[in-house]
Amino acid sequence: MGQKERRQREKMQRRTQILNAARALLLKEGFSRTSVNKISKKAELSIGSIYFYFTNKAEIFASLQQEGLEILHTYLVSETEGVADPRVQLQKGAEAYYQFSRAHKDYFDVINYFLSSPQVFFSEDVNRTIGSKGLLILEQIAGIIRQGNALKVFDEPCPNNFAVFFWSSLHGLVQIRKLQGIIIESDDYFQFFQYSVDKLIESIKFREVRDDNK
């Protein structure tokens, strides 16, 4: 490995140290109580090193959100690529979201933290950048709906709206996993998750209109 490659690897390692420290502090103390000073101590790096990679703490947490959404998008594409049936594509997409929430719980928790908070943390430009990552996921879902409409598998006049509804429903379903054994009848939570997803898909199923006068 050359000197240039070594320096690049070291830079990536420090950046990862910063993001790992920021993620841990966010989930433990919240956004307002997490400072750049605390992040530098947690990462065992100087404050100057933090500012070398990021302008401020908002940019650090925005980077975490973006990375999480990119990982989720990769999961979604990987699970739905090459699947011909739009219904199965949606089922696979839902499973991808569930698996993401389990395999990358920290990223899921960061996304959930900012989605569920009433406060506005980021500038318009940063929000736009984060939003563009989320739009990739929504467009992937909406594209499946449009394909299903064309094949007369689905009958959904507003694919974009349904994509938002579908994603938010998945997010809510993952969140209530903690209620397994309390209000969820099934002992197998994933079985309940699949049952709920099937109900969502059933709601946009194409149904032939019969004319009894003919």
Side-chain angles (χ1 to χ4, degrees):
M1 181 184 294
Q3 189 174 4
K4 182 179 180 181
E5 289 79 8
R6 188 178 295 108
R7 283 200 301 267
Q8 186 63 29
R9 187 176 68 175
E10 288 172 354
K11 286 173 67 175
M12 292 300 296
Q13 287 173 340
R14 290 194 191 98
R15 187 177 187 278
T16 300
Q17 277 179 258
I18 295 167
L19 293 177
N20 287 344
R23 186 191 304 113
L25 287 167
L26 173 71
L27 299 178
K28 181 181 178 181
E29 301 189 14
F31 184 86
S32 60
R33 294 180 61 190
T34 298
S35 64
V36 172
N37 186 50
K38 286 183 178 179
I39 293 171
S40 72
K41 288 180 179 178
K42 183 79 173 175
E44 298 182 342
L45 293 169
S46 69
I47 290 180
S49 294
I50 307 295
Y51 285 119
F52 177 80
Y53 293 95
F54 301 98
T55 304
N56 50 43
K57 75 170 185 177
E59 188 175 298
I60 296 173
F61 290 119
S63 294
L64 281 174
Q65 279 226 77
Q66 290 172 48
E67 286 187 0
L69 291 170
E70 286 168 0
I71 294 170
L72 174 55
H73 182 245
T74 300
Y75 265 67
L76 183 61
V77 171
S78 175
E79 289 298 316
T80 58
E81 260 186 343
V83 179
D85 188 333
R87 289 166 297 193
V88 178
Q89 279 187 299
L90 285 185
Q91 289 170 338
K92 292 288 186 182
E95 290 174 17
Y97 193 73
Y98 179 83
Q99 296 302 332
F100 164 79
S101 75
R102 305 295 292 159
H104 299 278
K105 185 178 182 300
D106 285 350
Y107 277 116
F108 176 82
D109 288 343
V110 167
I111 292 170
N112 182 62
Y113 181 91
F114 290 107
L115 282 178
S116 59
S117 175
Q119 296 171 274
V120 178
F121 296 101
F122 307 125
S123 67
E124 285 187 20
D125 287 344
V126 172
N127 272 328
R128 196 175 298 113
T129 301
I130 296 171
S132 68
K133 305 296 183 183
L135 284 174
L136 288 175
I137 296 167
L138 292 173
E139 179 53 36
Q140 186 81 12
I141 299 170
I144 295 171
I145 306 303
R146 285 191 286 269
Q147 179 189 5
N149 284 344
L151 295 173
K152 291 192 174 181
V153 173
F154 299 142
D155 183 15
E156 172 49 58
C158 303
N160 291 338
N161 285 348
F162 185 83
V164 176
F165 168 63
F166 189 72
W167 187 10
S168 59
S169 297
L170 296 181
H171 190 80
L173 285 168
V174 170
Q175 282 292 89
I176 64 168
R177 186 177 187 277
K178 65 187 73 170
L179 298 179
Q180 180 180 348
I182 301 175
I183 65 171
I184 298 173
E185 292 181 5
S186 174
D187 292 330
D188 182 352
Y189 175 77
F190 188 61
Q191 183 181 33
F192 169 77
F193 182 86
Q194 290 176 310
Y195 163 84
S196 302
V197 169
D198 287 343
K199 287 293 183 182
L200 290 172
I201 297 171
E202 178 71 18
S203 71
I204 59 169
K205 179 181 177 181
F206 180 84
R207 292 172 174 80
E208 294 282 355
V209 178
R210 293 177 54 188
D211 188 346
D212 293 333
N213 293 322
K214 288 186 178 181

